[in-house]
Amino acid sequence: GKNGEMDELYRVGKDGSLGWFYGVVTQALGWWVGNGEGKTMGLSSYGDASDQLIDELRELCPIYRDGKLADPSPIDYAGVWKSKDTYHFDFEEAAVVEGLLAEYDREDVADAAQQLLEEQLLDLVGHWLKETGIKNLAVAGGVFLNVAVNRELLNNFDIEDFHAFPAAGDDG
């Protein structure tokens, strides 16, 4: 954006949603999608994911190369269930991650998801920062409530001014 105008640089649909990927892992870990992702992020700090686990989980993660979606995620639209007047997402793909939980520790699965999230966002956001030469970055949405992701962006790029909008839902 410049002088009150914004130009769209790139758009991607649901098959590139890193939030849905992280939500699937969150659901498999036993938390509500759209509510428990902070717990997934926190749990990841106790993990030490193996390369094999990361590669297995990568199958669900959208992959970005040079700022563009190179390998879409197979995650489909979520089902919805209702509890106490609140609607919750339910992803069938969480069963894949639940299968991994039979073989790997919860904290390692969370760590693998966190590493993949950071890796993909560094590619996606980093590409467009370099391409445009912009040094100011404003981000919004649930993925950018992930403080570990934001720390990686700040540590890896020459960002002078950074703002993460705090209201990630419809209230924002």
Side-chain angles (χ1 to χ4, degrees):
K2 191 173 185 179
N3 298 325
E5 300 290 325
M6 293 191 69
D7 293 321
E8 182 176 294
L9 299 173
Y10 181 64
R11 179 185 296 240
V12 64
K14 74 167 184 64
D15 57 346
S17 177
L18 291 163
W20 280 17
F21 159 72
Y22 208 76
V24 165
V25 174
T26 295
Q27 178 183 329
L29 290 170
W31 298 305
W32 288 354
V33 176
N35 181 286
E37 286 81 359
K39 295 173 186 163
T40 301
M41 178 192 66
L43 183 62
S44 74
S45 66
Y46 294 96
D48 186 20
S50 67
D51 291 340
Q52 179 179 340
L53 172 56
I54 293 169
D55 287 342
E56 289 183 57
L57 196 55
R58 191 181 305 274
E59 297 299 317
L60 290 175
C61 186
I63 304 300
Y64 288 85
R65 285 189 199 91
D66 299 322
K68 301 274 176 101
L69 183 62
D71 190 10
S73 170
I75 298 171
D76 204 358
Y77 289 102
V80 177
W81 60 277
K82 186 176 178 181
S83 173
K84 299 182 182 178
D85 295 328
T86 302
Y87 290 93
H88 302 278
F89 292 115
D90 180 41
F91 288 99
E92 289 182 13
E93 293 82 3
V96 173
V97 182
E98 289 167 359
L100 294 174
L101 288 167
E103 187 177 345
Y104 298 99
D105 292 334
R106 297 176 83 238
E107 58 271 14
D108 293 339
V109 171
D111 182 49
Q114 183 68 34
Q115 286 188 50
L116 285 166
L117 182 68
E118 291 173 14
E119 168 189 291
Q120 296 312 309
L121 280 171
L122 286 175
D123 184 284
L124 177 63
V125 175
H127 170 82
W128 293 107
L129 286 171
K130 290 174 188 171
E131 179 79 15
T132 62
I134 291 172
K135 298 197 182 293
N136 299 326
L137 180 62
V139 296
V143 168
F144 292 107
L145 294 183
N146 188 306
V147 296
V149 162
N150 294 341
R151 179 190 62 226
E152 288 302 310
L153 290 171
L154 288 166
N155 287 341
N156 282 281
F157 302 108
D158 185 19
I159 298 172
E160 292 176 4
D161 191 14
F162 179 84
H163 178 74
F165 192 70
D170 289 342
D171 55 342

